[in-house]
Amino acid sequence: MIDRQINRELSRQANRQSNASGEDTLIARYFRPLATDPGAFNLDDDAAALKPSGDDIVVTTDAIVEGVHFLPDDPPDTLARKALRVNLSDLAAKGATPAGFVLTLALRGAEEAWLKPFARALGEDAAQFGCPLLGGDTVSTPGPLMISITAFGRAPQGRMVHRSGAKPGDRVIVTGTIGDAVLGLDVLKRGPLAAALGADVAASEMLIGRYRVPQPKNALAKAVRDHASAALDVSDGLAGDLAKLCAASAVSAVIDVQSIPLSPAASALVARKAVGIETLISGGDDYEILCAIPGDRMEAFAREARQAGVAVTAIGGLIAGTAPPSFLDAQGRELALKRLSYSHF
């Protein structure tokens, strides 16, 4: 009797597998191994569950689209990392700890040569940043490839850091270096900067890497939460994102352009006049944290940033008023920016 029941169950499972849709097979093969959180229910349900912990749930979403955020021949592993990391960067700027994410993937075809490295890199980043896959959707499309991720984070109640909240007298701080990604995109497109870099392969590869694979500053999230009066990540360009922070906080800013941190490769190109600083501060895809820190919090913030291994630089200060931020050169002259940031529309 028991043997017959076992045989019936095995037969039922085999039939279910043979009747599985192509989408079910794709999910089971490439993405189910990434769903390590119990609340993902092994991707067998229509929804996931995040267990309550007393924290606020912080939610952010970003999509990357072929031809807009990445080039058609960008490697699939870099696309996986970029898609997740741009969302992790938002969580970091809000002072939130990653809790999980859902994925929407619009594909022209289900090709193993693309899906296998994509899923492997996505799983590696999910493990590295403690942000497991909870669920999502896969669809076919005749149009450009699109990867959309919604990420969830946790922050103590009422402690999420907003764009608003900055005050006159706060210092303007930015992490990392600015402008590398826009330079990397030009190199990938074989633009004038590719020629300017010439045989400097290391510099070219570094810039391309900065464009393809962001480095979100999640290690700084707690320091941002504890010390920043306002923050956001630099995704559309330093100048434009600073303008957003100032508008939300009803303040203005004065920025010392000479203080804006540049990589050695970017500094060399600016010194040779191969590119202007205006391009670097209005280009997108930096994924650094831009925040306002009160003066009496600066020492503690800088100390915690060093402990986290994240470089931070003071580039100016906030002032009263609602005028757009001013960017002053070494002679105190204001730069006339033709555009503040990248805009989709």
Side-chain angles (χ1 to χ4, degrees):
M1 179 68 175
I2 294 176
D3 287 342
R4 286 199 299 272
Q5 290 176 338
I6 292 173
N7 288 333
R8 282 198 299 270
E9 176 61 20
L10 289 173
S11 177
R12 187 184 67 81
Q13 291 180 5
N15 289 334
R16 184 176 64 180
Q17 291 172 359
S18 65
N19 293 329
S21 70
E23 181 181 0
D24 291 338
T25 301
L26 184 155
I27 292 169
R29 182 171 185 179
Y30 297 106
F31 299 111
R32 185 167 291 156
L34 280 57
T36 57
D37 190 282
F41 307 120
N42 204 32
L43 300 189
D44 283 334
D45 214 317
D46 297 320
L50 284 174
K51 288 190 178 296
S53 63
D55 292 329
D56 288 340
I57 299 296
V58 180
V59 184
T60 184
T61 188
D62 269 303
I64 62 171
V65 180
E66 181 182 24
V68 179
H69 303 95
F70 61 89
L71 302 178
D73 58 351
D74 279 350
D77 59 321
T78 67
L79 301 185
R81 298 187 194 282
K82 186 168 191 173
L84 181 57
R85 292 181 183 210
V86 300
N87 286 277
L88 292 171
S89 182
D90 276 325
L91 291 180
K94 301 297 98 182
T97 301
F101 71 97
V102 295
L103 166 71
T104 298
L105 192 56
L107 299 170
R108 285 189 292 269
E111 300 174 1
E112 182 176 13
W114 191 94
L115 281 164
K116 187 175 181 180
F118 178 89
R120 182 179 62 247
L122 189 63
E124 290 171 353
D125 266 16
Q128 177 184 340
F129 292 98
C131 191
L133 177 65
L134 298 175
D137 193 21
T138 55
V139 298
S140 63
T141 177
L145 171 66
M146 188 276 292
I147 307 160
S148 179
I149 282 180
T150 298
F152 304 91
R154 299 184 189 274
Q157 289 187 4
R159 297 285 306 283
M160 186 187 95
V161 183
H162 300 268
R163 292 182 182 182
S164 58
K167 304 294 183 186
D170 288 355
R171 303 298 295 161
V172 178
I173 308 296
V174 70
T175 64
T177 57
I178 295 298
D180 292 329
V182 71
L183 301 181
L185 177 59
D186 187 86
V187 173
L188 278 172
K189 289 183 172 180
R190 296 179 175 82
L193 297 180
L197 287 168
D200 194 344
V201 176
S204 295
E205 290 181 348
M206 185 279 292
L207 295 173
I208 290 171
R210 287 278 284 156
Y211 171 72
R212 282 179 167 167
V213 183
Q215 302 297 321
K217 301 303 187 289
N218 295 86
L220 200 63
K222 184 178 184 301
V224 170
R225 186 172 70 235
D226 288 345
H227 303 297
S229 57
L232 75 169
D233 79 328
V234 181
S235 55
D236 294 328
L238 174 65
D241 288 325
L242 175 60
K244 295 171 188 176
L245 184 149
C246 287
S249 296
V251 296
S252 186
V254 177
I255 302 300
D256 173 19
V257 171
Q258 297 295 111
S259 297
I260 296 174
L262 304 179
S263 67
S267 294
L269 290 170
V270 171
R272 291 161 48 195
K273 301 189 184 307
V275 66
I277 189 68
E278 298 90 342
T279 297
L280 304 188
I281 64 177
S282 61
D285 284 346
D286 290 313
Y287 298 106
E288 299 292 347
I289 295 177
L290 175 68
C291 57
I293 306 291
D296 61 356
R297 295 276 189 172
M298 271 299 303
E299 184 177 346
F301 178 76
R303 181 177 62 252
E304 292 179 29
R306 287 193 298 272
Q307 292 170 349
V310 177
V312 297
T313 305
I315 61 172
L318 298 180
I319 60 174
T322 57
S326 298
F327 290 81
L328 306 182
D329 65 16
Q331 287 72 45
R333 297 171 300 195
E334 185 170 356
L335 294 182
L337 299 177
K338 294 180 180 179
R339 71 168 196 170
L340 295 180
S341 63
Y342 175 82
S343 177
H344 288 276
F345 303 103

